Amino acid sequence: MSYSPSTQPNVTKPDWLSRIENMKVNRKDMNKLIMNYLVCEGFKEAAEKFEQEAGISSPLKLNTWGNRIKVIEAVQSGKMQEAITLINQLYPGLLDDDRDLYFHLQQLHLIELIKEDNIEEALVFAQAKLSEVGEGNPAILTELERTLALLAFEEPQKSPFADLLQTTHREKVSSELNAAILRFHNQPTITPKLYNLMKLIMWAQDELDRKKVKFPHMTDFGSATLEPPK
């Protein structure tokens, strides 16, 4: 559908809000979205309470959450070997099926050794555990080279590869692990569906802007704040 300059719609904020108010939202669907978010993000206590109050079942057995959180916390605390041991005990075969995740966990252990200035141990570990994983996989080999390059700097935190030392790098691997555990439990939705709804709103607004439609923009998703048409 296209609009000529003379027929460009102009929707006022009151009219826009009135149209939104007339849309009916199914409470059951809303509860499912909330539960999906709590499950994907690992908010166990909140999910248990919501399950009781809303009368909606979690798609993932809540008694399995403690194990998942225990493993993720081990990663976030830098205890990689403990995390790998727990994964092999609780989720047998997971790391055999996801070699990228296995490498990233071992890479984090190597990074911890470098941060602790255990240079010799780091080199031995890289040779024994990681060199074979990188064979035939250019992406993994590049990551391994970036990690080992930290050893060339007296102050690795000031090197071009300092991002590997940041907490955000651990969190990235934790998220990857969380997704893998959810898949292990046949939980298909890894990204919370609320994220997809937000992306849909952003896409719809971009499309309306592209078509020169004047309408109230949602500028703050947290509060659902609408700005009048400009």
PDB file of all heavy atoms in Angstrom, residues 8-36:
ATOM      1  N   GLN A   8      -1.514  11.441   2.723  1.00  0.00           N
ATOM      2  CA  GLN A   8      -0.765  10.905   3.862  1.00  0.00           C
ATOM      3  C   GLN A   8      -1.627  10.957   5.122  1.00  0.00           C
ATOM      4  O   GLN A   8      -2.126  12.014   5.485  1.00  0.00           O
ATOM      5  CB  GLN A   8       0.508  11.709   4.093  1.00  0.00           C
ATOM      6  CG  GLN A   8       1.557  11.518   3.013  1.00  0.00           C
ATOM      7  CD  GLN A   8       2.757  12.405   3.241  1.00  0.00           C
ATOM      8  OE1 GLN A   8       2.801  13.128   4.220  1.00  0.00           O
ATOM      9  NE2 GLN A   8       3.720  12.346   2.340  1.00  0.00           N
ATOM     10  N   PRO A   9      -1.811   9.815   5.789  1.00  0.00           N
ATOM     11  CA  PRO A   9      -2.610   9.807   7.013  1.00  0.00           C
ATOM     12  C   PRO A   9      -1.944  10.616   8.118  1.00  0.00           C
ATOM     13  O   PRO A   9      -0.729  10.711   8.189  1.00  0.00           O
ATOM     14  CB  PRO A   9      -2.664   8.320   7.383  1.00  0.00           C
ATOM     15  CG  PRO A   9      -2.289   7.597   6.141  1.00  0.00           C
ATOM     16  CD  PRO A   9      -1.342   8.492   5.416  1.00  0.00           C
ATOM     17  N   ASN A  10      -2.740  11.175   8.965  1.00  0.00           N
ATOM     18  CA  ASN A  10      -2.234  11.909  10.120  1.00  0.00           C
ATOM     19  C   ASN A  10      -3.093  11.500  11.307  1.00  0.00           C
ATOM     20  O   ASN A  10      -4.239  11.942  11.437  1.00  0.00           O
ATOM     21  CB  ASN A  10      -2.320  13.413   9.873  1.00  0.00           C
ATOM     22  CG  ASN A  10      -1.652  14.198  10.995  1.00  0.00           C
ATOM     23  OD1 ASN A  10      -1.256  13.627  12.013  1.00  0.00           O
ATOM     24  ND2 ASN A  10      -1.547  15.500  10.834  1.00  0.00           N
ATOM     25  N   VAL A  11      -2.549  10.640  12.160  1.00  0.00           N
ATOM     26  CA  VAL A  11      -3.297  10.107  13.289  1.00  0.00           C
ATOM     27  C   VAL A  11      -2.922  10.872  14.540  1.00  0.00           C
ATOM     28  O   VAL A  11      -1.746  10.910  14.919  1.00  0.00           O
ATOM     29  CB  VAL A  11      -3.018   8.598  13.486  1.00  0.00           C
ATOM     30  CG1 VAL A  11      -3.900   8.042  14.604  1.00  0.00           C
ATOM     31  CG2 VAL A  11      -3.243   7.833  12.192  1.00  0.00           C
ATOM     32  N   THR A  12      -3.899  11.468  15.192  1.00  0.00           N
ATOM     33  CA  THR A  12      -3.623  12.212  16.419  1.00  0.00           C
ATOM     34  C   THR A  12      -3.393  11.241  17.576  1.00  0.00           C
ATOM     35  O   THR A  12      -3.805  10.077  17.530  1.00  0.00           O
ATOM     36  CB  THR A  12      -4.792  13.135  16.774  1.00  0.00           C
ATOM     37  OG1 THR A  12      -5.943  12.329  17.076  1.00  0.00           O
ATOM     38  CG2 THR A  12      -5.113  14.075  15.621  1.00  0.00           C
ATOM     39  N   LYS A  13      -2.767  11.753  18.622  1.00  0.00           N
ATOM     40  CA  LYS A  13      -2.497  10.905  19.785  1.00  0.00           C
ATOM     41  C   LYS A  13      -3.784  10.407  20.438  1.00  0.00           C
ATOM     42  O   LYS A  13      -3.894   9.210  20.749  1.00  0.00           O
ATOM     43  CB  LYS A  13      -1.625  11.654  20.793  1.00  0.00           C
ATOM     44  CG  LYS A  13      -1.233  10.790  21.999  1.00  0.00           C
ATOM     45  CD  LYS A  13      -0.288  11.531  22.917  1.00  0.00           C
ATOM     46  CE  LYS A  13       0.085  10.677  24.126  1.00  0.00           C
ATOM     47  NZ  LYS A  13       1.024  11.383  25.032  1.00  0.00           N
ATOM     48  N   PRO A  14      -4.814  11.265  20.657  1.00  0.00           N
ATOM     49  CA  PRO A  14      -6.062  10.764  21.253  1.00  0.00           C
ATOM     50  C   PRO A  14      -6.717   9.673  20.411  1.00  0.00           C
ATOM     51  O   PRO A  14      -7.230   8.686  20.943  1.00  0.00           O
ATOM     52  CB  PRO A  14      -6.941  12.024  21.336  1.00  0.00           C
ATOM     53  CG  PRO A  14      -5.961  13.142  21.426  1.00  0.00           C
ATOM     54  CD  PRO A  14      -4.821  12.740  20.538  1.00  0.00           C
ATOM     55  N   ASP A  15      -6.695   9.857  19.081  1.00  0.00           N
ATOM     56  CA  ASP A  15      -7.301   8.854  18.205  1.00  0.00           C
ATOM     57  C   ASP A  15      -6.513   7.547  18.273  1.00  0.00           C
ATOM     58  O   ASP A  15      -7.077   6.452  18.304  1.00  0.00           O
ATOM     59  CB  ASP A  15      -7.332   9.377  16.769  1.00  0.00           C
ATOM     60  CG  ASP A  15      -8.063   8.426  15.823  1.00  0.00           C
ATOM     61  OD1 ASP A  15      -9.058   7.806  16.271  1.00  0.00           O
ATOM     62  OD2 ASP A  15      -7.644   8.300  14.661  1.00  0.00           O
ATOM     63  N   TRP A  16      -5.204   7.682  18.304  1.00  0.00           N
ATOM     64  CA  TRP A  16      -4.327   6.501  18.384  1.00  0.00           C
ATOM     65  C   TRP A  16      -4.590   5.723  19.676  1.00  0.00           C
ATOM     66  O   TRP A  16      -4.736   4.505  19.667  1.00  0.00           O
ATOM     67  CB  TRP A  16      -2.876   6.957  18.323  1.00  0.00           C
ATOM     68  CG  TRP A  16      -1.852   5.861  18.156  1.00  0.00           C
ATOM     69  CD1 TRP A  16      -1.152   5.245  19.131  1.00  0.00           C
ATOM     70  CD2 TRP A  16      -1.418   5.278  16.920  1.00  0.00           C
ATOM     71  NE1 TRP A  16      -0.300   4.308  18.597  1.00  0.00           N
ATOM     72  CE2 TRP A  16      -0.435   4.305  17.250  1.00  0.00           C
ATOM     73  CE3 TRP A  16      -1.740   5.478  15.575  1.00  0.00           C
ATOM     74  CZ2 TRP A  16       0.212   3.546  16.276  1.00  0.00           C
ATOM     75  CZ3 TRP A  16      -1.098   4.725  14.612  1.00  0.00           C
ATOM     76  CH2 TRP A  16      -0.137   3.771  14.958  1.00  0.00           C
ATOM     77  N   LEU A  17      -4.669   6.448  20.803  1.00  0.00           N
ATOM     78  CA  LEU A  17      -4.938   5.806  22.089  1.00  0.00           C
ATOM     79  C   LEU A  17      -6.317   5.164  22.117  1.00  0.00           C
ATOM     80  O   LEU A  17      -6.502   4.091  22.690  1.00  0.00           O
ATOM     81  CB  LEU A  17      -4.805   6.829  23.220  1.00  0.00           C
ATOM     82  CG  LEU A  17      -3.385   7.322  23.522  1.00  0.00           C
ATOM     83  CD1 LEU A  17      -3.434   8.467  24.531  1.00  0.00           C
ATOM     84  CD2 LEU A  17      -2.526   6.185  24.050  1.00  0.00           C
ATOM     85  N   SER A  18      -7.280   5.825  21.473  1.00  0.00           N
ATOM     86  CA  SER A  18      -8.635   5.276  21.424  1.00  0.00           C
ATOM     87  C   SER A  18      -8.655   3.954  20.666  1.00  0.00           C
ATOM     88  O   SER A  18      -9.311   2.992  21.080  1.00  0.00           O
ATOM     89  CB  SER A  18      -9.574   6.281  20.760  1.00  0.00           C
ATOM     90  OG  SER A  18     -10.876   5.733  20.626  1.00  0.00           O
ATOM     91  N   ARG A  19      -7.919   3.899  19.579  1.00  0.00           N
ATOM     92  CA  ARG A  19      -7.862   2.660  18.792  1.00  0.00           C
ATOM     93  C   ARG A  19      -7.187   1.536  19.589  1.00  0.00           C
ATOM     94  O   ARG A  19      -7.599   0.383  19.534  1.00  0.00           O
ATOM     95  CB  ARG A  19      -7.104   2.905  17.483  1.00  0.00           C
ATOM     96  CG  ARG A  19      -7.783   3.895  16.557  1.00  0.00           C
ATOM     97  CD  ARG A  19      -7.022   4.037  15.253  1.00  0.00           C
ATOM     98  NE  ARG A  19      -7.544   5.126  14.439  1.00  0.00           N
ATOM     99  CZ  ARG A  19      -7.161   5.361  13.191  1.00  0.00           C
ATOM    100  NH1 ARG A  19      -6.243   4.584  12.630  1.00  0.00           N
ATOM    101  NH2 ARG A  19      -7.664   6.361  12.517  1.00  0.00           N
ATOM    102  N   ILE A  20      -6.126   1.914  20.340  1.00  0.00           N
ATOM    103  CA  ILE A  20      -5.434   0.913  21.158  1.00  0.00           C
ATOM    104  C   ILE A  20      -6.368   0.368  22.240  1.00  0.00           C
ATOM    105  O   ILE A  20      -6.396  -0.835  22.515  1.00  0.00           O
ATOM    106  CB  ILE A  20      -4.168   1.524  21.787  1.00  0.00           C
ATOM    107  CG1 ILE A  20      -3.125   1.819  20.698  1.00  0.00           C
ATOM    108  CG2 ILE A  20      -3.576   0.583  22.839  1.00  0.00           C
ATOM    109  CD1 ILE A  20      -1.892   2.526  21.209  1.00  0.00           C
ATOM    110  N   GLU A  21      -7.127   1.272  22.872  1.00  0.00           N
ATOM    111  CA  GLU A  21      -8.053   0.871  23.932  1.00  0.00           C
ATOM    112  C   GLU A  21      -9.097  -0.112  23.434  1.00  0.00           C
ATOM    113  O   GLU A  21      -9.577  -0.977  24.178  1.00  0.00           O
ATOM    114  CB  GLU A  21      -8.727   2.102  24.539  1.00  0.00           C
ATOM    115  CG  GLU A  21      -7.833   2.942  25.432  1.00  0.00           C
ATOM    116  CD  GLU A  21      -7.391   2.192  26.676  1.00  0.00           C
ATOM    117  OE1 GLU A  21      -8.182   1.382  27.204  1.00  0.00           O
ATOM    118  OE2 GLU A  21      -6.248   2.410  27.126  1.00  0.00           O
ATOM    119  N   ASN A  22      -9.456   0.004  22.175  1.00  0.00           N
ATOM    120  CA  ASN A  22     -10.497  -0.863  21.609  1.00  0.00           C
ATOM    121  C   ASN A  22      -9.970  -2.254  21.250  1.00  0.00           C
ATOM    122  O   ASN A  22     -10.754  -3.142  20.918  1.00  0.00           O
ATOM    123  CB  ASN A  22     -11.115  -0.209  20.367  1.00  0.00           C
ATOM    124  CG  ASN A  22     -11.982   0.985  20.720  1.00  0.00           C
ATOM    125  OD1 ASN A  22     -12.572   1.026  21.798  1.00  0.00           O
ATOM    126  ND2 ASN A  22     -12.060   1.961  19.821  1.00  0.00           N
ATOM    127  N   MET A  23      -8.645  -2.431  21.308  1.00  0.00           N
ATOM    128  CA  MET A  23      -8.071  -3.746  21.028  1.00  0.00           C
ATOM    129  C   MET A  23      -8.199  -4.625  22.267  1.00  0.00           C
ATOM    130  O   MET A  23      -7.901  -4.192  23.379  1.00  0.00           O
ATOM    131  CB  MET A  23      -6.592  -3.621  20.638  1.00  0.00           C
ATOM    132  CG  MET A  23      -6.327  -2.740  19.423  1.00  0.00           C
ATOM    133  SD  MET A  23      -7.117  -3.362  17.919  1.00  0.00           S
ATOM    134  CE  MET A  23      -6.207  -4.881  17.674  1.00  0.00           C
ATOM    135  N   LYS A  24      -8.659  -5.839  22.092  1.00  0.00           N
ATOM    136  CA  LYS A  24      -8.867  -6.756  23.203  1.00  0.00           C
ATOM    137  C   LYS A  24      -7.651  -7.680  23.359  1.00  0.00           C
ATOM    138  O   LYS A  24      -7.200  -8.294  22.391  1.00  0.00           O
ATOM    139  CB  LYS A  24     -10.129  -7.591  22.986  1.00  0.00           C
ATOM    140  CG  LYS A  24     -11.397  -6.761  22.777  1.00  0.00           C
ATOM    141  CD  LYS A  24     -11.680  -5.873  23.985  1.00  0.00           C
ATOM    142  CE  LYS A  24     -12.953  -5.048  23.784  1.00  0.00           C
ATOM    143  NZ  LYS A  24     -13.187  -4.096  24.898  1.00  0.00           N
ATOM    144  N   VAL A  25      -7.145  -7.751  24.581  1.00  0.00           N
ATOM    145  CA  VAL A  25      -5.999  -8.620  24.877  1.00  0.00           C
ATOM    146  C   VAL A  25      -6.472  -9.775  25.744  1.00  0.00           C
ATOM    147  O   VAL A  25      -7.107  -9.573  26.782  1.00  0.00           O
ATOM    148  CB  VAL A  25      -4.885  -7.842  25.611  1.00  0.00           C
ATOM    149  CG1 VAL A  25      -3.740  -8.774  25.967  1.00  0.00           C
ATOM    150  CG2 VAL A  25      -4.400  -6.686  24.750  1.00  0.00           C
ATOM    151  N   ASN A  26      -6.163 -10.990  25.306  1.00  0.00           N
ATOM    152  CA  ASN A  26      -6.553 -12.182  26.047  1.00  0.00           C
ATOM    153  C   ASN A  26      -5.632 -12.349  27.259  1.00  0.00           C
ATOM    154  O   ASN A  26      -4.408 -12.408  27.134  1.00  0.00           O
ATOM    155  CB  ASN A  26      -6.459 -13.412  25.127  1.00  0.00           C
ATOM    156  CG  ASN A  26      -6.987 -14.664  25.778  1.00  0.00           C
ATOM    157  OD1 ASN A  26      -6.426 -15.152  26.749  1.00  0.00           O
ATOM    158  ND2 ASN A  26      -8.069 -15.185  25.235  1.00  0.00           N
ATOM    159  N   ARG A  27      -6.218 -12.395  28.443  1.00  0.00           N
ATOM    160  CA  ARG A  27      -5.444 -12.506  29.673  1.00  0.00           C
ATOM    161  C   ARG A  27      -4.580 -13.766  29.684  1.00  0.00           C
ATOM    162  O   ARG A  27      -3.434 -13.756  30.147  1.00  0.00           O
ATOM    163  CB  ARG A  27      -6.384 -12.509  30.881  1.00  0.00           C
ATOM    164  CG  ARG A  27      -5.729 -12.808  32.215  1.00  0.00           C
ATOM    165  CD  ARG A  27      -4.664 -11.808  32.578  1.00  0.00           C
ATOM    166  NE  ARG A  27      -5.215 -10.478  32.782  1.00  0.00           N
ATOM    167  CZ  ARG A  27      -4.485  -9.420  33.141  1.00  0.00           C
ATOM    168  NH1 ARG A  27      -3.171  -9.545  33.301  1.00  0.00           N
ATOM    169  NH2 ARG A  27      -5.057  -8.243  33.315  1.00  0.00           N
ATOM    170  N   LYS A  28      -5.103 -14.855  29.145  1.00  0.00           N
ATOM    171  CA  LYS A  28      -4.346 -16.113  29.111  1.00  0.00           C
ATOM    172  C   LYS A  28      -3.096 -15.964  28.257  1.00  0.00           C
ATOM    173  O   LYS A  28      -2.013 -16.448  28.623  1.00  0.00           O
ATOM    174  CB  LYS A  28      -5.238 -17.237  28.572  1.00  0.00           C
ATOM    175  CG  LYS A  28      -4.585 -18.605  28.618  1.00  0.00           C
ATOM    176  CD  LYS A  28      -5.560 -19.685  28.160  1.00  0.00           C
ATOM    177  CE  LYS A  28      -4.925 -21.075  28.228  1.00  0.00           C
ATOM    178  NZ  LYS A  28      -5.873 -22.129  27.777  1.00  0.00           N
ATOM    179  N   ASP A  29      -3.225 -15.279  27.121  1.00  0.00           N
ATOM    180  CA  ASP A  29      -2.061 -15.049  26.262  1.00  0.00           C
ATOM    181  C   ASP A  29      -1.037 -14.173  26.963  1.00  0.00           C
ATOM    182  O   ASP A  29       0.180 -14.403  26.853  1.00  0.00           O
ATOM    183  CB  ASP A  29      -2.499 -14.386  24.948  1.00  0.00           C
ATOM    184  CG  ASP A  29      -3.309 -15.321  24.065  1.00  0.00           C
ATOM    185  OD1 ASP A  29      -3.181 -16.545  24.242  1.00  0.00           O
ATOM    186  OD2 ASP A  29      -4.065 -14.820  23.216  1.00  0.00           O
ATOM    187  N   MET A  30      -1.513 -13.163  27.693  1.00  0.00           N
ATOM    188  CA  MET A  30      -0.612 -12.284  28.429  1.00  0.00           C
ATOM    189  C   MET A  30       0.161 -13.071  29.495  1.00  0.00           C
ATOM    190  O   MET A  30       1.376 -12.901  29.658  1.00  0.00           O
ATOM    191  CB  MET A  30      -1.394 -11.154  29.095  1.00  0.00           C
ATOM    192  CG  MET A  30      -0.530 -10.180  29.863  1.00  0.00           C
ATOM    193  SD  MET A  30       0.586  -9.245  28.807  1.00  0.00           S
ATOM    194  CE  MET A  30      -0.599  -8.119  28.041  1.00  0.00           C
ATOM    195  N   ASN A  31      -0.537 -13.952  30.201  1.00  0.00           N
ATOM    196  CA  ASN A  31       0.118 -14.765  31.234  1.00  0.00           C
ATOM    197  C   ASN A  31       1.172 -15.686  30.629  1.00  0.00           C
ATOM    198  O   ASN A  31       2.232 -15.909  31.221  1.00  0.00           O
ATOM    199  CB  ASN A  31      -0.918 -15.584  31.992  1.00  0.00           C
ATOM    200  CG  ASN A  31      -1.765 -14.718  32.918  1.00  0.00           C
ATOM    201  OD1 ASN A  31      -1.397 -13.587  33.239  1.00  0.00           O
ATOM    202  ND2 ASN A  31      -2.903 -15.243  33.350  1.00  0.00           N
ATOM    203  N   LYS A  32       0.890 -16.225  29.452  1.00  0.00           N
ATOM    204  CA  LYS A  32       1.864 -17.095  28.791  1.00  0.00           C
ATOM    205  C   LYS A  32       3.123 -16.324  28.416  1.00  0.00           C
ATOM    206  O   LYS A  32       4.243 -16.842  28.531  1.00  0.00           O
ATOM    207  CB  LYS A  32       1.246 -17.719  27.541  1.00  0.00           C
ATOM    208  CG  LYS A  32       0.238 -18.827  27.817  1.00  0.00           C
ATOM    209  CD  LYS A  32      -0.294 -19.410  26.516  1.00  0.00           C
ATOM    210  CE  LYS A  32      -1.279 -20.536  26.779  1.00  0.00           C
ATOM    211  NZ  LYS A  32      -1.818 -21.090  25.511  1.00  0.00           N
ATOM    212  N   LEU A  33       2.943 -15.084  27.965  1.00  0.00           N
ATOM    213  CA  LEU A  33       4.097 -14.255  27.614  1.00  0.00           C
ATOM    214  C   LEU A  33       4.960 -13.977  28.838  1.00  0.00           C
ATOM    215  O   LEU A  33       6.189 -14.023  28.772  1.00  0.00           O
ATOM    216  CB  LEU A  33       3.624 -12.929  27.008  1.00  0.00           C
ATOM    217  CG  LEU A  33       3.188 -12.939  25.544  1.00  0.00           C
ATOM    218  CD1 LEU A  33       2.594 -11.585  25.172  1.00  0.00           C
ATOM    219  CD2 LEU A  33       4.356 -13.271  24.635  1.00  0.00           C
ATOM    220  N   ILE A  34       4.293 -13.681  29.955  1.00  0.00           N
ATOM    221  CA  ILE A  34       5.027 -13.401  31.194  1.00  0.00           C
ATOM    222  C   ILE A  34       5.787 -14.639  31.653  1.00  0.00           C
ATOM    223  O   ILE A  34       6.976 -14.567  32.012  1.00  0.00           O
ATOM    224  CB  ILE A  34       4.060 -12.913  32.291  1.00  0.00           C
ATOM    225  CG1 ILE A  34       3.444 -11.568  31.891  1.00  0.00           C
ATOM    226  CG2 ILE A  34       4.779 -12.790  33.637  1.00  0.00           C
ATOM    227  CD1 ILE A  34       2.321 -11.119  32.796  1.00  0.00           C
ATOM    228  N   MET A  35       5.130 -15.787  31.637  1.00  0.00           N
ATOM    229  CA  MET A  35       5.785 -17.023  32.052  1.00  0.00           C
ATOM    230  C   MET A  35       6.949 -17.362  31.126  1.00  0.00           C
ATOM    231  O   MET A  35       8.018 -17.795  31.574  1.00  0.00           O
ATOM    232  CB  MET A  35       4.781 -18.175  32.083  1.00  0.00           C
ATOM    233  CG  MET A  35       5.389 -19.516  32.499  1.00  0.00           C
ATOM    234  SD  MET A  35       6.119 -19.476  34.171  1.00  0.00           S
ATOM    235  CE  MET A  35       4.630 -19.695  35.172  1.00  0.00           C
ATOM    236  N   ASN A  36       6.746 -17.155  29.838  1.00  0.00           N
ATOM    237  CA  ASN A  36       7.818 -17.402  28.870  1.00  0.00           C
ATOM    238  C   ASN A  36       9.040 -16.558  29.183  1.00  0.00           C
ATOM    239  O   ASN A  36      10.182 -17.028  29.129  1.00  0.00           O
ATOM    240  CB  ASN A  36       7.315 -17.120  27.453  1.00  0.00           C
ATOM    241  CG  ASN A  36       8.425 -17.156  26.412  1.00  0.00           C
ATOM    242  OD1 ASN A  36       8.992 -16.129  26.061  1.00  0.00           O
ATOM    243  ND2 ASN A  36       8.757 -18.335  25.929  1.00  0.00           N
TER     244      ASN A  36
END
